[in-house]
Amino acid sequence: MIFRLKRITFFITCMFLAIFISVFLIQGVYGSELNEDSRNKRTVLDSRLIKRGNIYSADAKLLAESVSEESDYKYQRVYYDSEIYSHITGYFSYSLQSTGIELYANSYLSGNTSSLALSNLLARFQGLQTAGNDIYLTIDSNAQKLAYEALGDKIGAAVVLEVKTGKIIAMASTPAYNANDLAQNDYSAALLAYQAAEEDSSSPLINKSIFETYAPGSTFKLVVAASAFENGYDENWAVDNPARYTLTGSITQIKNSGGSSCPPYASTSTLKEALQWSCNIPFAQFAKTLGAYALNATAISFGFNESLDIPLNVAKSYFPAGLDTAELELSGFGQANVAATPLQMAMVAATIANGGQRLQPQLIDKITDNNGNILQSYSVKVLNQAISASSAKLLTELMINNVENGAASSMQISSIKVAAKTGTAETDGSHYNLWLVGFAPADSPKYAIAVMVEAEDGFGGEVAAPVAKQILEGLL
Amino acid sequence: MAQIKNSVKFYGRYKVFKKNPRNIEFGFLLFGALISLCGLLCVDLGVNGFINAGAICAGAVFWAIVFILHILMRWRLKDADPLILPSAALLNIIGVIVIYRIDLVNNNSRGFRQLIWSVIALLAAAVIVMFLKNHRKLQNYTYIFMVLSFIMLIMPMIPGLGSSQGTNATLWVSFFGITFQPSEFVKITLAVFFASYLIAKADSLTKVNKKFLGFRFPRLRDSAPFLLLWGVSMAVLVIQKDLGTALLYFGLFLLMVYYATGLASWVVMGLLAFGGGCLFAYKYIPVVSNRVASWLNTFDNELYDKVSGSAQQAQGLFGLAHGGLFGTGLGRGWPAQTPLSWSDYIFTSIGEEIGFFGIMAVMFLYLIIIARALKVGVLGIDDFGKMLSVGLAFIIALQVFIVIAGITRIIPVTGLPLPFLASGGTSIVSSWIIIALILVITNSAKLQNKNHITLQSNL
């Protein structure tokens, strides 16, 4: 009967339809997912055929390029002044996982983005060598060099933001590494270098300004003060000024740095004075009164608990919600569970400097093709109005006061008004994070800066501040 | 009573020329040759940047032999279907070109070897075309085919004769330095045997049966011989661990029984038995549980890193994805990244370089052959011809499905070769023998139609 044949034909049709669909799923629908699987070496092999794009600083200093060589790899990636820039550029490797801008801007550098597909195709028809796109960073080479050298042989990080635009002018982390060691085509040598760097206890491979969080210490008082202004208090808000204070619901006692009441010989301490002399006990009380909800809200508006992409993925800074009163009091001066990346604190400073408006920090200024035509250009991105302009103005005045009359006096620069806050955070009995957060010129701010140094002892004002001062002096 | 009416109408000379299937075939053969030439040039330019004259000569030799076969057909099989030979030839040469392309990377000469085997296959096809005028002659040898099937099936199990070629299945026989896979020919002899047996017994199978559970079952006396042969085939294949072929035979058997008898009971029983067989295999044959694990968790890191794990399948899929919808272009992909890219995974090698639309076009070549063979089931006159043609069509269709479904994770991988495309001498020879048989049948069918011969037909 033909009827049986019809059924058989139908069955065969179904079989082939199933195949068509499954192949389409693989080549069409799931194609990009499969292509991004790290075990799929084909995109890497493709990239060997294309001259990878260059990386430049904002002022067109060449930081990374692919130099052609006679080998299977066709090109060797070369980095210039690598120690200064390696945390930003990262390294590009066929065998090790790439990092930094090499990783996050990979599709542009390797010429793989779909917007390039058509021009690549056309270029191939014409026999032109296709090349990746060039990345221009927002980093200024002079500023970056300054920052790197100012940190010297300390372990720490420095971030400089341009206040009006959010551009990251400098981002240094020490100790650094030489990206050339890890990007070399010789796999075994690269692997050795990688392992050596991994084992170094000062973590040279990690960009401390964005991938690590540290207790911000007294620099967090800026956030607390901002929260106070936002909730109706002013700089004259006064609280008791004992030399010792027992945390609510606990037997632990806290003290001011210096051990006595702060400011000394006064029965009360105002917000202004507490900020000026960086007093812990008053701020514990401020935090307690403001409450977890209000403080949390202010912290979040400054960017805490939020992950950023600059486009490098920045670690989240933490201000936990639902703290009990004792923890709240501790967080009032930046201890307990508060943790921030140096970039986050720089962003706090930049926000205060920018009238309370928080801008997206950006690392890439523009992307061009290998002929210099601009494909994408950076533009200012407003994230939110973190605090009101009046709160920001008030806080600025207090920060100027810190420098002129207070604990941040080592930040004074002749003929330039500087606004700053120092911080000395204890991590565990014998290790400290020493901070300096600020901006300058304070009357019409250009740059915001955050410096963090890991040390065994010392104070922010003594160790971190000189680094920041050196950088700001060089810039202004 | 057969009525033969001589009803060849007189057409003007022009019209006869136009409608001559051999001329249509000639046109398509030229077209195929042109396509393959372009493909070869793309491969050479894409990989090396220069053209290899030797390869072009080899391709020309292939097409020359195909054209000789075409001339043979003008002489012996004037009315055979015109689309089948060009489709088969094109599939064959596409396979050779892609294997050659992979050779360029691996510094090998599998492409050349495949070409030699293709020529041998074409010769085998030519022998059939020359000497088998009417497929019905095959019906005279029904039981010989049964015995032949049995012998060829167990050949690899004879110690000294059989070898496993380094895989985990003893499928090959080697003598005098040539290895071949008998199971590839058994599928043809089995198809012929089943077709003629089922046709002969069709009436008794369909009409003389017992009712059980609402289904009708034929008598054991009628069904015993082929059930026996089928059972033995299955057992032998399972012992040899050639599970892909077992699946193929099973499907063929089920199809032919259904086509001959129309009894749903067979299909249901068959599927149940299949299900049971699968469970048994999964529990007791380690290769099977391996392959199922690899099928379900292809991208699992642990499986990927294991030896004989899922890496090969994953790489094949990566290759396909890399090609995307339009392919990377011949010579511009990385097919050799996948192990056995010239045989088991020839599909992904082609798919990577010519993309989704390209590989679908290749699938259509298969569909053309299958459809034209199925057409005999509609237009053919004698039951045996219909049965055999549909059976052969189904062998191709099912084999293609099993291979590609395995690659794309619809079912687990089986190790069957893709007809015409995959590297493998026995496979290409058996594929061309199938083509030759189909051509003979279509020729007879057309002739019978032309002469308005009518026979009593149950199909």
Side-chain angles (χ1 to χ4, degrees), chain A residues 4 7 22 27 39 42 46, chain B residues 258-259 299 322 334 356:
Chain A
R4 290 178 217 156
R7 278 191 178 155
S22 69
Q27 292 195 297
R39 293 165 294 188
R42 287 167 171 83
D46 271 347
Chain B
Y258 173 69
Y259 191 40
F299 296 106
H322 187 59
W334 306 97
F356 174 73

Side-chain angles (χ1 to χ4, degrees), chain A residues 414-470:
Chain A
S414 59
S415 73
I416 300 180
K417 265 204 179 135
V418 180
K421 179 78 196 76
T422 57
T424 308
E426 194 181 306
T427 49
D428 58 39
S430 57
H431 289 94
Y432 296 88
N433 298 326
L434 307 174
W435 289 85
L436 191 291
V437 170
F439 52 90
D443 33 19
S444 94
K446 275 189 86 180
Y447 301 111
I449 185 169
V451 173
M452 191 285 307
V453 177
E454 291 180 35
E456 313 248 307
D457 67 33
F459 290 96
E462 292 171 357
V463 179
V467 174
K469 176 172 167 181
Q470 192 177 340

Side-chain angles (χ1 to χ4, degrees), chain B residues 5-8 79 445-453:
Chain B
K5 235 194 317 188
N6 197 345
S7 59
V8 175
D79 296 293
K446 195 71 190 291
L447 263 179
Q448 286 164 357
N449 267 315
K450 254 194 191 174
N451 296 328
H452 285 256
I453 298 175

Side-chain angles (χ1 to χ4, degrees), chain B residues 23-260:
Chain B
N23 290 327
I24 299 175
E25 188 178 70
F26 185 77
F28 277 114
L29 284 176
L30 278 180
F31 184 55
L34 191 62
I35 295 179
S36 58
L37 177 65
C38 292
L40 184 59
L41 290 176
C42 283
V43 162
D44 273 330
L45 288 173
V47 178
N48 283 329
F50 59 82
I51 297 175
N52 178 354
I56 299 184
C57 286
V61 169
F62 173 81
W63 282 106
I65 300 183
V66 171
F67 274 99
I68 292 176
L69 188 56
H70 166 77
I71 293 173
L72 258 178
M73 284 180 59
R74 278 183 186 261
W75 174 34
R76 302 289 282 177
L77 298 178
K78 288 197 199 72
D79 296 293
D81 189 281
L83 295 181
I84 295 180
L85 179 62
S87 305
L90 189 52
L91 276 172
N92 192 335
I93 200 67
I94 289 177
V96 172
I97 290 176
V98 177
I99 298 172
Y100 166 70
R101 182 254 179 278
I102 297 174
D103 278 349
L104 290 175
V105 174
N106 289 334
N107 249 327
N108 225 310
S109 59
R110 290 195 178 90
F112 186 66
R113 253 179 287 158
Q114 177 79 347
L115 196 61
I116 303 280
W117 276 109
S118 306
V119 169
I120 295 176
L122 285 169
L123 289 176
V127 165
I128 294 181
V129 164
M130 275 254 280
F131 295 113
L132 187 68
K133 204 58 199 297
N134 192 335
H135 59 278
R136 291 163 70 189
K137 282 218 199 109
L138 293 172
Q139 272 183 299
N140 299 334
Y141 303 102
T142 310
Y143 289 99
I144 294 189
F145 275 107
M146 177 173 138
V147 171
L148 251 183
S149 311
F150 185 68
I151 293 179
M152 286 207 279
L153 256 184
I154 61 170
M155 271 216 283
M157 284 168 65
I158 301 174
L161 209 54
S163 72
S164 64
Q165 294 283 298
T167 64
N168 49 29
T170 344
L171 309 172
W172 285 265
V173 163
S174 54
F175 37 67
F176 307 120
I178 304 179
T179 41
F180 72 98
Q181 213 180 332
S183 60
E184 285 284 326
F185 297 119
V186 172
K187 73 186 181 208
I188 304 176
T189 57
L190 265 186
V192 175
F193 166 68
F194 280 152
S196 57
Y197 186 89
L198 286 170
I199 294 304
K201 296 284 188 208
D203 275 349
S204 48
L205 283 173
T206 331
K207 288 162 187 162
V208 185
N209 41 43
K210 309 189 172 160
K211 267 213 158 124
F212 181 67
L213 285 182
F215 286 110
R216 297 180 293 158
F217 292 90
R219 291 183 303 189
L220 207 56
R221 169 154 62 139
D222 294 322
S223 42
F226 73 90
L227 265 183
L228 198 63
L229 184 57
W230 177 72
V232 168
S233 319
M234 290 291 116
V236 167
L237 289 172
V238 168
I239 294 174
Q240 292 178 346
K241 301 214 205 91
D242 187 0
L243 301 164
T245 317
L247 182 59
L248 190 59
Y249 289 11
F250 196 100
L252 176 66
F253 167 75
L254 225 51
L255 171 107
M256 294 188 101
V257 164
Y258 173 69
Y259 191 40

Side-chain angles (χ1 to χ4, degrees), chain A residues 1-5 7-9 11-12 14-16 18-28 30-32 34-35 37 39-43 45-46 49 124, chain B residues 255 258-260 262 299 301 304 315 317-322 324-325 332 334 337-338 347 351-352 355-356 360 363 367 370 377-378 390 401 404 408 410 458-459:
Chain A
M1 312 298 166
I2 294 216
F3 185 62
R4 290 178 217 156
L5 187 59
R7 278 191 178 155
I8 292 172
T9 313
F11 181 67
I12 295 180
C14 286
M15 287 202 299
F16 271 78
I19 300 177
F20 279 26
I21 294 176
S22 69
V23 176
F24 179 71
L25 282 176
I26 293 173
Q27 292 195 297
Y30 294 117
S32 42
L34 285 167
N35 275 327
D37 191 308
R39 293 165 294 188
N40 184 355
K41 296 259 179 293
R42 287 167 171 83
T43 33
L45 291 168
D46 271 347
L49 302 172
R124 265 207 211 149
Chain B
L255 171 107
Y258 173 69
Y259 191 40
F299 296 106
N301 258 315
Y304 184 88
Q315 282 297 333
L317 295 172
F318 288 150
L320 277 177
H322 187 59
L325 293 177
R332 286 190 172 274
W334 306 97
Q337 283 277 304
T338 315
F347 179 77
E352 180 175 351
F356 174 73
M360 287 305 108
M363 291 298 103
L367 277 177
I370 295 168
V378 176
V390 169
F401 175 76
I404 300 180
T408 58
I410 300 178
N458 286 326
L459 292 176

Side-chain angles (χ1 to χ4, degrees), chain A residues 215-298:
Chain A
S218 304
T219 55
F220 194 71
K221 291 173 185 162
L222 290 173
V223 178
V224 181
S227 191
F229 296 151
E230 288 289 291
N231 286 293
Y233 298 93
D234 65 13
E235 74 270 32
N236 296 314
W237 180 16
V239 291
D240 291 336
N241 188 9
R244 292 281 180 280
Y245 180 84
T246 312
L247 295 174
T248 310
S250 153
I251 54 168
T252 320
Q253 281 197 325
I254 55 172
K255 50 187 164 86
N256 299 310
S257 87
S260 57
S261 55
C262 177
Y265 315 121
S267 58
T268 59
S269 176
T270 63
L271 186 52
K272 174 173 172 181
E273 289 166 335
L275 197 66
Q276 184 178 351
W277 298 111
S278 200
C279 305
N280 296 337
I281 293 177
F283 265 94
Q285 298 172 74
F286 292 139
K288 177 179 169 186
T289 312
L290 285 168
Y293 186 75
L295 261 183
N296 198 24
T298 311

Side-chain angles (χ1 to χ4, degrees), chain A residues 25-321:
Chain A
L25 282 176
I26 293 173
Q27 292 195 297
V29 176
Y30 294 117
S32 42
E33 193 185 304
L34 285 167
N35 275 327
E36 280 161 22
D37 191 308
S38 55
R39 293 165 294 188
N40 184 355
K41 296 259 179 293
R42 287 167 171 83
T43 33
V44 171
L45 291 168
D46 271 347
S47 69
R48 288 196 198 168
L49 302 172
I50 290 184
K51 182 172 192 282
R52 195 173 173 79
N54 299 338
I55 303 179
Y56 297 94
S57 69
D59 46 323
K61 177 178 152 69
L62 183 61
L63 303 177
E65 70 169 343
S66 286
V67 174
S68 61
E69 65 172 24
E70 286 293 321
S71 76
D72 276 345
Y73 294 95
K74 303 271 193 328
Y75 293 103
Q76 168 67 59
R77 196 76 174 154
V78 174
Y79 298 92
Y80 302 107
D81 285 334
S82 188
E83 272 94 2
I84 303 179
Y85 299 94
S86 56
H87 285 114
I88 302 171
T89 61
Y91 51 87
F92 174 73
S93 166
Y94 291 116
S95 40
L96 305 169
Q97 168 83 313
S98 302
T99 66
I101 290 283
E102 295 280 15
L103 173 66
Y104 286 93
N106 185 53
S107 53
Y108 288 105
L109 288 168
S110 59
N112 270 339
T113 50
S114 51
S115 61
L116 299 169
L118 188 61
S119 50
N120 267 348
L121 205 61
L122 291 173
R124 265 207 211 149
F125 275 127
Q126 297 166 33
L128 298 172
Q129 181 177 43
T130 49
N133 299 311
D134 296 336
I135 304 275
Y136 284 82
L137 301 172
T138 55
I139 302 284
D140 178 82
S141 58
N142 294 318
Q144 180 73 13
K145 187 152 184 276
L146 260 174
Y148 180 75
E149 285 172 353
L151 281 170
D153 52 13
K154 302 185 187 47
I155 300 178
V159 180
V160 179
L161 293 174
E162 194 176 57
V163 169
K164 292 270 176 281
T165 62
K167 289 190 196 182
I168 302 176
I169 302 295
M171 181 161 77
S173 171
T174 49
Y177 66 96
N178 190 327
N180 288 304
D181 294 335
L182 293 154
Q184 54 185 318
N185 287 333
D186 176 351
Y187 173 62
S188 38
L191 190 60
L192 269 175
Y194 179 75
Q195 285 165 340
E198 276 263 288
E199 281 158 20
D200 188 333
S201 58
S202 58
S203 318
L205 289 177
I206 307 237
N207 184 346
K208 297 179 175 60
S209 47
I210 57 177
F211 290 135
E212 292 276 10
T213 56
Y214 303 91
S218 304
T219 55
F220 194 71
K221 291 173 185 162
L222 290 173
V223 178
V224 181
S227 191
F229 296 151
E230 288 289 291
N231 286 293
Y233 298 93
D234 65 13
E235 74 270 32
N236 296 314
W237 180 16
V239 291
D240 291 336
N241 188 9
R244 292 281 180 280
Y245 180 84
T246 312
L247 295 174
T248 310
S250 153
I251 54 168
T252 320
Q253 281 197 325
I254 55 172
K255 50 187 164 86
N256 299 310
S257 87
S260 57
S261 55
C262 177
Y265 315 121
S267 58
T268 59
S269 176
T270 63
L271 186 52
K272 174 173 172 181
E273 289 166 335
L275 197 66
Q276 184 178 351
W277 298 111
S278 200
C279 305
N280 296 337
I281 293 177
F283 265 94
Q285 298 172 74
F286 292 139
K288 177 179 169 186
T289 312
L290 285 168
Y293 186 75
L295 261 183
N296 198 24
T298 311
I300 287 178
S301 66
F302 270 113
F304 279 79
N305 299 344
E306 184 189 314
S307 174
L308 269 181
D309 287 307
I310 58 177
L312 307 190
N313 184 252
V314 182
K316 268 196 219 180
S317 301
Y318 281 109
F319 186 87

